Amino acid sequence: MSKENEEFSTEIVQNGGGSLSFSVRVRPRMPDFLSSVNLKYVKLGYGYLITHRLYLLLLLAPPLLAAFFAHLGHFTWHHNHGLTEALFISALFFFFFLYLYFDFTPRSTYLLDFACFRPPNEFKVSKAEFIELARKSGNFNDTTIEFKERVLKKSGIGNETYMPKGVFRPNYRTSLNEGREEASMVMVGAVKELLAVTKVRPKDIKILVVNCGILNTTPSLSSLMINHFKLRHDIHSFNLGGMGCAAGVTAIDLARDLLDAYPSSYALVVSTEVVSSSWYTGNDTDMLIPNCFFRMGAAAIMLSNFRLHRWRAKYELKQLVRTHKGMDNRSHKSIHQREDSEGRRGISVSKDVIEIGGHALKANITTLGPLVLPVSEQLHFFTNLLFKKRKMKPYIPDYKLAFEHMCILATSKKVLDEIQKNLELTEEYMEASRKTLERFGNTSSSSIWYELAYLEFNSRVKRGDRVCQIAFGSGFKCNSLVWKALRNVRTPKYSPWIQDE
């Protein structure tokens, strides 16, 4: 391992005699994005670009048809066929090619609106209260409590996040009933708000995709939504589980494909994570990290590819890129659910997760680059790549030229700091992520929607702005979305960022 990818950090180590001590270990960090570029992902990005550009042939159809009709009219007029025949033949060809154009041109996916659930104030937990409740529960030893205090101090999380306080009961064990109650509260709350904003009737929703990493029940959470909102009997419903914080983007991808199969439909996507089901009551330090960061939350998103909805939608989906590093064993095991030596279940987070996540992010944005960067930046990149001197670091494109806003999954302050440094982002680009981490903590797959809600609440999104959402998850995965604002987005009536009265 090169020195560029290492850093010193303290770690709790158990000696052979059973006592605990502190030691200094070399820890991997996020890789330097400027050190190398994997051409495999550049090639992949241009492959996507070429595939998309094939549709330009269809876009050129209207002007070509206009020229054809003009020549056809000129021909029929000068050959004494009469104006009526010319108009009839022209109209026939026009409607025929118009049918082919709309039938073969891929439909855009529109985001009509979205909603993020804010739990009642009774679920608010400050960092001090978190530590006090954990200590009183008797589920953790003194070393564990001290570890949690250190993590929370540097986490970037504020004092108004939301948690189910039942997890602090003595001898707490996860249960299906508590998991279902939490899931029902946050998911139903988000969907109700979304339906109120969009005015979409539940019976008009044809596609439903729900994602939740840890809680997987029978009947499924998607079935819970169908039952509660009395959705149609022929709805195409899917329930994604075990896919971590990146599953929200995966759900959008699945909904988009289903909209292509069932055009002119509404697709409802619900993203959440259930804290009461992921809570760990043991003392293994690698399984305590999720306890410190995960908080309650859910987001509901309404999509459509009905062409006329362009005039009422907020955003149009421009790009979606998914990167999976699961073929590598270290990446595959970096975040996984397991049981400790006492049979307590929790989520284990590897000490290498930041480095692994960095490699996944690097691969993802390298693939995304050709799809979103200006031509000038791409030419600069390739010129530098072809003519650079030996041992010179390759030029990394300025991604700030591709997006006006970025919503990076609010994992932790350390991760956000590393991403900001490697992508050379300004504080303005990081503001939504940092504010969301402080106010709501890590709400898993719904986090990127709380960030977009922050931008909307502060009237940052203008017509034509491009918004990039980036999420990470177990596997290891890095997924990204690019939306284009179709109008100036005004401060919404409902928002999780509205201050309590």
Side-chain angles (χ1 to χ4, degrees):
M1 185 182 296
S2 68
K3 292 182 179 180
E4 290 182 354
N5 290 337
E6 296 177 351
E7 65 176 6
F8 292 99
S9 62
T10 58
E11 172 179 89
I12 299 177
V13 180
Q14 188 163 2
N15 298 324
S19 60
L20 293 173
S21 62
F22 288 98
S23 66
V24 177
R25 293 282 181 88
V26 177
R27 286 283 179 84
R29 61 174 179 172
M30 185 170 287
D32 183 2
F33 286 16
L34 298 177
S35 63
S36 64
V37 173
N38 193 327
L39 291 180
K40 176 177 70 174
Y41 299 109
V42 177
K43 181 179 178 182
L44 182 61
Y46 277 100
Y48 290 153
L49 183 67
I50 292 171
T51 301
H52 292 169
R53 290 300 182 263
L54 289 177
Y55 293 119
L56 283 176
L57 296 176
L58 292 173
L59 296 178
L60 291 174
L64 291 176
L65 287 175
F68 169 75
F69 296 146
H71 285 289
L72 180 63
H74 178 77
F75 174 80
T76 53
W77 179 265
H78 287 281
H79 286 77
N80 299 319
H81 285 283
L83 182 60
T84 304
E85 290 83 353
L87 290 176
F88 176 78
I89 295 173
S90 298
L92 190 64
F93 274 95
F94 174 78
F95 285 109
F96 174 71
F97 281 105
L98 193 66
Y99 167 77
L100 292 179
Y101 175 76
F102 283 111
D103 192 56
F104 287 97
T105 303
R107 292 171 176 262
S108 295
T109 300
Y110 301 112
L111 194 163
L112 301 186
D113 216 323
F114 67 97
C116 299
F117 180 71
R118 186 174 70 183
N121 287 336
E122 63 194 73
F123 291 93
K124 274 188 181 180
V125 176
S126 66
K127 289 185 284 188
E129 186 180 7
F130 179 99
I131 295 301
E132 186 61 25
L133 290 172
R135 181 179 285 110
K136 289 181 177 180
S137 71
N139 297 325
F140 309 102
N141 59 36
D142 291 340
T143 303
T144 296
I145 296 296
E146 293 174 3
F147 176 80
K148 288 188 173 186
E149 283 184 305
R150 291 197 306 276
V151 171
L152 283 174
K153 185 177 180 180
K154 301 178 181 179
S155 65
I157 291 177
N159 290 310
E160 292 189 316
T161 59
Y162 302 91
M163 284 193 64
K165 297 182 181 179
V167 299
F168 294 106
R169 295 195 308 268
N171 301 316
Y172 173 79
R173 292 291 184 272
T174 58
S175 69
L176 283 175
N177 286 338
E178 291 191 47
R180 283 194 179 102
E181 288 177 5
E182 181 185 340
S184 178
M185 177 178 66
V186 297
M187 292 167 62
V188 170
V191 174
K192 277 186 176 180
E193 186 175 308
L194 178 64
L195 295 178
V197 171
T198 59
K199 310 299 183 184
V200 174
R201 299 176 299 179
K203 68 177 183 179
D204 293 332
I205 299 171
K206 195 170 186 177
I207 297 164
L208 172 65
V209 183
V210 174
N211 71 271
C212 180
I214 298 299
L215 180 64
N216 288 287
T217 65
T218 302
S220 65
L221 295 180
S222 60
S223 180
L224 185 152
M225 292 290 97
I226 293 171
N227 176 263
H228 187 278
F229 291 99
K230 309 306 177 188
L231 303 181
R232 54 198 293 170
H233 71 278
D234 61 343
I235 191 168
H236 301 276
S237 67
F238 295 83
N239 198 91
L240 305 181
M243 301 190 74
C245 302
V249 179
T250 305
I252 296 291
D253 192 18
L254 176 58
R256 179 185 63 173
D257 290 344
L258 290 167
L259 284 171
D260 287 340
Y262 304 97
S264 300
S265 302
Y266 289 109
L268 172 62
V269 176
V270 185
S271 297
T272 190
E273 190 55 83
V274 178
V275 176
S276 55
S277 294
S278 62
W279 186 257
Y280 172 64
T281 57
N283 295 288
D284 284 11
T285 53
D286 63 312
M287 300 171 73
L288 292 169
I289 298 295
N291 282 12
C292 298
F293 287 96
F294 281 153
R295 297 294 187 268
M296 296 171 65
I301 304 98
M302 189 69 73
L303 303 175
S304 169
N305 66 353
F306 188 55
R307 298 186 193 278
L308 293 180
H309 281 169
R310 179 182 184 86
W311 310 111
R312 60 175 291 203
K314 283 185 174 181
Y315 305 94
E316 179 185 2
L317 179 59
K318 302 302 292 184
Q319 304 295 343
L320 191 154
V321 175
R322 293 168 58 186
T323 302
H324 206 304
K325 291 287 188 176
M327 69 293 294
D328 173 64
N329 286 334
R330 197 164 66 117
S331 298
H332 177 66
K333 298 177 180 178
S334 60
I335 300 176
H336 68 284
Q337 190 178 25
R338 69 175 180 88
E339 294 177 342
D340 64 13
S341 58
E342 297 180 359
R344 295 187 177 94
R345 186 177 300 173
I347 302 172
S348 174
V349 179
S350 166
K351 64 180 182 297
D352 303 323
V353 71
I354 293 181
E355 179 193 359
I356 290 168
H359 286 300
L361 173 62
K362 182 178 177 181
N364 186 273
I365 63 172
T366 303
T367 305
L368 182 64
L371 301 173
V372 297
L373 287 168
V375 175
S376 59
E377 277 297 291
Q378 298 187 46
L379 288 175
H380 193 175
F381 168 74
F382 272 107
T383 302
N384 177 270
L385 193 65
L386 293 174
F387 301 106
K388 73 181 181 70
K389 298 179 181 180
R390 289 185 177 181
K391 296 183 179 180
M392 175 185 278
K393 292 182 178 180
Y395 172 74
I396 299 299
D398 185 359
Y399 284 89
K400 296 189 294 294
L401 298 176
F403 316 113
E404 282 70 37
H405 312 282
M406 296 193 75
C407 301
I408 302 168
L409 186 77
T411 50
S412 69
K413 181 180 182 298
K414 183 177 181 181
V415 170
L416 295 178
D417 288 344
E418 289 284 343
I419 293 174
Q420 180 178 11
K421 180 180 72 175
N422 276 280
L423 293 183
E424 299 180 349
L425 300 174
T426 63
E427 282 298 327
E428 184 180 1
Y429 278 91
M430 301 299 298
E431 183 180 341
S433 298
R434 295 190 187 280
K435 291 293 186 181
T436 298
L437 178 63
E438 178 185 4
R439 179 64 180 85
F440 294 98
N442 183 347
T443 61
S444 189
S445 57
S446 64
S447 175
I448 56 177
W449 297 105
Y450 285 85
E451 295 166 22
L452 184 54
Y454 175 84
L455 294 174
E456 290 190 354
F457 180 72
N458 289 280
S459 302
R460 303 279 179 84
V461 184
K462 307 300 181 183
R463 180 186 177 91
D465 282 2
R466 294 153 299 177
V467 182
C468 180
Q469 295 177 307
I470 300 176
F472 312 92
S474 58
F476 192 92
K477 299 181 289 294
C478 178
N479 299 335
S480 56
L481 287 165
V482 179
W483 302 95
K484 182 179 180 179
L486 299 177
R487 53 186 167 90
N488 293 338
V489 181
R490 294 177 294 181
T491 302
K493 179 180 180 181
Y494 302 100
S495 173
W497 293 95
I498 295 175
Q499 297 296 322
D500 296 327
E501 296 181 358

